[in-house]
Amino acid sequence: MSDFLNNRQPHQTIRAAVVQAGPVLFDTAKTMTKLEGLVREAAPQGADLVVLPEAFVGGYPKGLDFGARLGIRSPEGRGDFRRYYESAIDVPGPEAARLGEIARDNGIHLIVGVIERDGGTLYCSSLTYAPSGDLVSKHRKLMPTALERLVWGFGDGSTIGVAETAIGRIGSVICWENYMPLLRMAMYAQGVELYCAPTVDDRDTWLPTMRTIAIEGRCFVISACQYFKRSDGPAGYFPIQGDDPDTVLIRGGSCIIDPLGNVLVEPDFTGETIKLADLDRSLIAKGKYDLDVAGHYARPDVFSLSVDTRPKKAVVFDGPAQPEPGNSAKRKALVSEQESIDPQ
């Protein structure tokens, strides 16, 4: 862990931007256009790193219950899920590739929250792109909260890595995952420097949580939260908060904190905005001087943490390779082989 501290230029400064905005709910094409415009606004201000909120692409339909009661699912709720499913994106896929192009075209590191579609399941994910346009990291939310568990699957330990980049070691922890002490410890042990916390939590308690993580991990914390109004959703969207287009469903509160707990960007609850801060990476080493919770301030003789980073598959085929879903050529070959054995 000391290597990444010693190899940095101690006074190198980078500029980070938090984008506080919401998507065009259930319209992925318009959301992608909006995202590109927001990035194009942040990049000319010198941003090296641009962080967008949780579920920006794909949306966070706050106030929906998806027609669920204990033991009951309604047809209307299934329709809501179908629309949500169709708004999600594949990774890899055309929208994911376009996000890489946006990062490349603007010369920035881009972190964006997406709803990822994989088979019949949706995941709340965070994607990290380098200025080359390459996807360098994908994190799937390990623990959806409350009703989120109805519409999102659970990530596994294979996506809790930290990406080494030209501006530092970047990691993402999504919304209430930040309340999981063991997950935070796994991030600190990987030497996270730029701790990104995309969220939709707009409560007053979020800022002290982010300050605690920055102090605990001696890292910069960059948290982008949505600002989302009822008018950002379509006519057929019926959140419990009502149908007034001016109703604020997610009020923002994005912030940036330095490794000593100082607030570089204060939460703003007034509307959509882009906030920037210059990050002096020498503060990381200065902070580690008296607190390194995965190093000299740990007590491995008393405490230890084991992290299983193996991907967990629901179905694992042993033996000969199986036909890949959607690969018609392999399926036809298999059928042809079977028919030659048993023409009946």
Side-chain angles (χ1 to χ4, degrees):
M1 191 166 169
S2 60
D3 290 342
F4 77 84
L5 290 175
N6 293 334
N7 292 336
R8 300 288 180 207
Q9 296 179 10
H11 298 292
Q12 186 175 351
T13 299
I14 65 170
R15 180 164 290 184
V18 282
V19 175
Q20 179 165 293
V24 183
L25 189 62
F26 303 133
D27 192 327
T28 303
K30 288 184 179 179
T31 295
M32 292 292 292
T33 299
K34 181 175 182 178
L35 184 152
E36 182 171 8
L38 291 165
V39 172
R40 288 188 181 277
E41 183 179 345
Q45 299 182 60
D48 303 294
L49 172 69
V50 177
V51 182
L52 284 100
E54 176 184 16
F56 188 87
V57 179
Y60 192 89
K62 190 169 181 178
L64 289 191
D65 61 15
F66 289 90
R69 300 292 185 272
L70 194 62
I72 301 172
R73 267 75 60 197
S74 72
E76 293 79 12
R78 293 185 188 278
D80 285 337
F81 182 77
R82 177 198 58 79
R83 181 166 54 171
Y84 196 36
Y85 182 86
E86 292 175 351
S87 301
I89 68 171
D90 298 318
V91 183
E95 292 85 5
R98 181 65 189 131
L99 291 170
E101 293 170 357
I102 292 170
R104 182 198 64 204
D105 293 347
N106 290 275
I108 51 113
H109 295 78
L110 176 66
I111 288 81
V112 55
V114 306
I115 302 304
E116 178 193 358
R117 181 175 53 224
D118 188 354
T121 299
L122 302 181
Y123 296 92
C124 179
S125 299
S126 178
L127 307 180
T128 300
Y129 292 89
S132 62
D134 294 325
L135 177 64
V136 296
S137 179
K138 179 181 79 173
H139 171 58
R140 284 180 174 173
K141 195 173 191 178
L142 286 174
M143 194 63 201
T145 301
L147 196 71
E148 293 173 356
R149 298 174 199 170
L150 181 68
V151 292
W152 296 343
F154 292 66
D156 61 32
S158 67
T159 71
I160 61 172
V162 171
E164 182 78 51
T165 76
I167 60 172
R169 297 176 65 82
I170 300 175
S172 289
V173 181
I174 305 169
C175 204
W176 273 28
E177 286 188 312
N178 288 283
Y179 291 116
M180 299 174 71
L182 302 185
L183 175 56
R184 298 201 308 267
M185 187 62 169
M187 299 298 286
Y188 304 150
Q190 295 176 83
V192 64
E193 296 174 294
L194 303 171
Y195 184 113
C196 299
T199 189
V200 294
D201 190 333
D202 60 1
R203 284 167 285 201
D204 292 338
T205 51
W206 191 248
L207 179 62
T209 298
M210 296 297 98
R211 294 188 73 184
T212 296
I213 292 171
I215 295 169
E216 181 179 71
R218 291 304 204 235
C219 52
F220 289 97
V221 174
I222 304 103
S223 182
C225 184
Q226 287 194 25
Y227 185 88
F228 181 71
K229 298 171 66 175
R230 169 62 189 84
S231 58
D232 296 319
Y237 170 47
F238 302 110
I240 195 172
Q241 295 90 336
D243 203 39
D244 184 340
D246 291 328
T247 297
V248 177
L249 302 179
I250 307 172
R251 67 180 183 135
S254 304
C255 57
I256 300 178
I257 320 294
D258 79 12
L260 299 179
N262 299 303
V263 181
L264 304 182
V265 168
E266 294 279 355
D268 184 323
F269 300 105
T270 62
E272 293 195 348
T273 185
I274 298 174
K275 300 287 189 178
L276 297 98
D278 291 327
L279 313 184
D280 177 3
R281 292 194 310 194
S282 72
L283 289 177
I284 297 171
K286 292 176 181 177
K288 297 283 187 183
Y289 161 61
D290 56 359
L291 182 66
D292 183 359
V293 295
H296 65 75
Y297 217 85
R299 284 292 304 274
D301 56 324
V302 180
F303 307 107
S304 64
L305 172 63
S306 175
V307 182
D308 187 347
T309 59
R310 293 171 296 177
K312 299 296 189 294
K313 301 292 186 181
V315 179
V316 178
F317 293 100
D318 292 325
Q322 301 297 310
E324 296 178 7
N327 191 324
S328 59
K330 286 188 177 181
R331 287 202 303 272
K332 288 178 181 178
L334 187 66
V335 170
S336 176
E337 180 181 353
Q338 181 63 36
E339 287 176 346
S340 67
I341 296 171
D342 182 7
Q344 299 301 319

